[in-house]
Amino acid sequence: MRIDLSLRQLEAFVQVATSGSFRQAALQLGQSQPALSSAIRRAEQTLGARLFDRDTRQVRITATGQELLPVARRILRDFDHALGDLGEFMAGRSGRVTVVALPSTSVALLPRAVAAFSRTHPQVAFSLIEAAADALLAMVEEGRADFGLSVRPAPHQRLQYRHLHDDPMVLVCRRDDPLAARASAPWSVFATRPCIVSAPHSSIRPITDAVFMRLRTPVRPVLEFPGVAACGAMVAAGLGITALPVLALELVNMAELATVPLARPAVTRPIGLVTRIGRSLPPVTRTFMDSLRV
C-alpha cells in the first residue's frame, strides 16, 4: 500500500517529534504554528492514525509515530543527500565527461589535462575515445561524445569550433639525411624527394594536400601511411620524408629521426574544442572544457 505523505509533512513530523513541542518546531522550521499543526493533521488523516497525543501541557509521540519516525528520518536524509549530489553535479564537481580526441591530442594534450582536473574534481569520471578526424567529428555530431579535441570542422557540419592551439607543421626525415642539418626547409622539397602522406581520413592530409596544390611542381607521394607511428617507421626505414604536426611527434619513435621547421609557407594545424550546435552539455563537461582553454 502506498502512503502519500509529502516531504513537508514528514519534515514537520520529525521536527515536532525531536523538539517535543509544536511551538518550538514551528520556530525552527520558520513556519506559523497553525501551518505546522495543519501539516501534522493532514498526515494523520492520510495515515488514519494519530502521530501525537497532546494536551495543553505536553506532546507525546504515539506508537504509530514511533514506527514512522526512523522511516521519515531516513527519507529526509536520503532526499538531502540526493539533492546534495544534484548540487555537486550542477556545480560541475561531479558527473562523467566523454571526450573523443585525435590520436595526437589524446597523447600530447589530454593526459595532463585530465590528471590536473581529477586532482581538483575527484568525483568526476572520464570516458576517453580516440579516433581519426572524420570519425571523431561524426561522433560529436551524432551525440556519442560530449565534445571533440580536433581540427576545425567543415562549414556544412552542425558543429561549433573554439580554437585552442596552433600546431606547427614540420618536415620529418632521417638523422643522416642532409635535410636534417638545415635551419628550415621549403614545402617545395617534397616535389624533389620521395614523400609519404597520411591517409585521406586523417586531420593531416587536407593540410598537406592544400599546400601541395599551391606548389608549381606537383608532388607525387610514394606511400600513404595508416597511422603516425607507422609513418615514423617508414621514414626511419628510408622510404621517404614526410610532414607532420608537432603534437603528432608524441606518437613517433624519434630515435633515428630529425625534424626541420617548414617554411614558404609556414603552416599550422588548428586544434580546438568541437561541440554539436544546439546540444546542452553537462556542467562538468563545460567546466573541463574551460580548464583546457586556460
Side-chain angles (χ1 to χ4, degrees):
M1 180 182 73
R2 184 176 184 275
I3 299 174
D4 191 14
L5 294 177
S6 70
L7 287 171
R8 184 180 294 275
Q9 290 168 345
L10 291 175
E11 188 177 38
F13 163 69
V14 169
Q15 198 62 57
V16 172
T18 302
S19 64
S21 164
F22 275 68
R23 180 173 174 275
Q24 287 299 322
L27 287 172
Q28 290 165 356
L29 291 173
Q31 299 179 11
S32 68
Q33 190 169 331
L36 179 72
S37 298
S38 176
I40 296 297
R41 185 167 57 254
R42 289 196 303 273
E44 290 174 331
Q45 290 170 349
T46 298
L47 292 168
R50 293 183 67 85
L51 295 173
F52 300 102
D53 290 328
R54 48 199 181 272
D55 54 33
T56 56
R57 293 188 176 184
Q58 57 185 339
V59 175
R60 298 187 186 89
I61 191 168
T62 65
T64 300
Q66 291 284 8
E67 191 71 19
L68 175 61
L69 187 58
V71 175
R73 283 174 169 158
R74 184 173 70 247
I75 291 170
L76 293 173
R77 184 173 59 250
D78 290 347
F79 182 73
D80 285 344
H81 287 168
L83 283 185
D85 291 343
L86 178 61
E88 289 291 293
F89 176 84
M90 295 303 296
R93 292 190 291 266
S94 68
R96 177 174 293 276
V97 180
T98 302
V99 188
V100 57
L102 298 172
S104 56
T105 59
S106 73
V107 172
L109 297 181
L110 269 184
R112 287 186 290 273
V114 171
F117 195 79
S118 296
R119 285 193 291 271
T120 56
H121 296 73
Q123 298 181 74
V124 176
F126 282 88
S127 294
L128 306 178
I129 308 166
E130 190 175 281
D134 287 354
L136 181 157
L137 296 174
M139 288 186 69
V140 175
E141 198 166 18
E142 294 164 7
R144 290 183 285 152
D146 295 334
F147 73 95
L149 198 54
S150 182
V151 293
R152 191 186 303 273
H156 69 272
Q157 293 177 291
R158 295 187 66 255
L159 298 171
Q160 182 179 27
Y161 173 85
R162 282 179 279 177
H163 187 68
L164 281 183
H165 180 74
D166 290 311
D167 192 10
M169 298 292 293
V170 295
L171 181 145
V172 182
C173 61
R174 287 173 53 94
R175 285 188 183 276
D176 58 4
D177 192 307
L179 288 170
R182 300 181 61 167
S184 66
W187 282 84
S188 58
V189 72
F190 290 102
T192 66
R193 298 279 300 274
C195 79
I196 306 167
V197 296
S198 63
H201 62 268
S202 80
S203 66
I204 303 170
R205 183 65 174 271
I207 298 171
T208 56
D209 280 355
V211 178
F212 293 158
M213 285 181 66
R214 293 167 59 182
L215 299 178
R216 294 183 179 179
T217 305
V219 175
R220 296 182 177 84
V222 295
L223 279 172
E224 288 185 353
F225 59 82
V228 173
C231 173
M234 291 176 179
V235 175
L239 293 172
I241 59 175
T242 195
L244 290 176
V246 169
L247 291 181
L249 300 179
E250 298 270 359
L251 302 170
V252 178
N253 180 354
M254 296 296 295
E256 301 178 45
L257 304 177
T259 62
V260 182
L262 281 164
R264 290 178 293 183
V267 177
T268 62
R269 178 181 65 161
I271 296 294
L273 304 172
V274 180
T275 55
R276 190 179 73 187
I277 294 172
R279 180 180 181 183
S280 298
L281 294 173
V284 67
T285 299
R286 297 196 300 269
T287 303
F288 179 62
M289 290 171 63
D290 289 341
S291 76
L292 289 171
R293 301 177 68 185
V294 175

